[in-house]
Amino acid sequence: SPHVASVLRFDGKTAILRTSSGTVGLDLARKAGADPILAAGFVNSRETARYLKKLGVGGGSLIPMGWKGEKPSIEDDQCAEYIQAMYDGRAVDHAAILKRLDGHEDLARFQAPEEIEFLSQDLNICFDFDRYDFALKAEMVTRASSGVLLPSPLMELVPVRV
């Protein structure tokens, strides 16, 4: 939960990300030989587009992973469109995007009290356009900081500034 993470202290600690879709997508991109592999959301979309432009990446793919990687979700599709618009240099109406997202059935889980892993406060953070001034590049990690060989490949998300 972005909200929960925002109130926790991570000083001197390593955070491990686990998602239903995003990490699966990163691993599939790695297996397909994609390079670079970036993780993005509304919070770093502009910088992701700027980073791709700086690299001269043309012909890349924006892959919205959707809900559990199984079905499209409005927020992922809108984010991919937003990144594409930033890459193309087109103006974007943030209010129009938020209006399309507001009350959409794909986001109902964030309003359901029984869904304890989806907090309504998360949406305010997730839809905070261009909150961060960096792109997130996925890089392979083969050893833990202790030098112990890891049982399976892991990726580290490294902030990169344009």
Side-chain angles (χ1 to χ4, degrees):
S1 163
H3 171 69
V4 172
S6 75
V7 297
L8 295 176
R9 300 284 309 208
F10 289 101
D11 301 348
K13 297 179 182 156
T14 299
I16 298 174
L17 172 68
R18 190 256 171 239
T19 69
S20 298
S21 306
T23 52
V24 171
L26 293 171
D27 192 47
L28 289 171
R30 176 192 63 82
K31 288 176 181 173
D35 186 45
I37 301 171
L38 304 174
F42 286 111
V43 296
N44 71 333
S45 291
R46 183 178 309 275
E47 292 305 307
T48 298
R50 287 184 63 212
Y51 181 69
L52 291 171
K53 263 209 166 335
K54 178 183 172 186
L55 293 177
V57 175
S61 298
L62 289 170
I63 305 172
M65 289 304 298
W67 178 244
K68 296 188 176 182
E70 297 170 0
K71 72 176 202 128
S73 64
I74 185 77
E75 70 275 18
D76 283 8
D77 292 343
Q78 288 293 299
C79 185
E81 289 178 24
Y82 180 56
I83 293 169
Q84 186 67 56
M86 295 293 96
Y87 184 87
D88 294 341
R90 290 182 276 131
V92 176
D93 182 350
H94 293 142
I97 293 172
L98 292 174
K99 186 175 181 178
R100 284 191 292 276
L101 294 169
D102 187 41
H104 194 280
E105 65 185 50
D106 287 355
L107 303 176
R109 64 187 176 274
F110 289 95
Q111 305 303 325
E114 69 277 5
E115 294 284 354
I116 60 171
E117 69 178 292
F118 302 107
L119 304 176
S120 60
Q121 299 95 319
D122 287 345
L123 295 179
N124 295 331
I125 295 171
C126 292
F127 300 152
D128 188 2
F129 294 93
D130 306 310
R131 175 185 187 124
Y132 301 112
D133 64 348
F134 54 81
L136 283 174
K137 184 176 181 187
E139 295 181 355
M140 290 303 301
V141 176
T142 56
R143 294 190 175 269
S145 58
S146 65
V148 176
L149 206 58
L150 298 170
S152 62
L154 293 178
M155 281 183 252
E156 176 179 34
L157 296 177
V158 179
V160 290
R161 289 190 165 77
V162 179

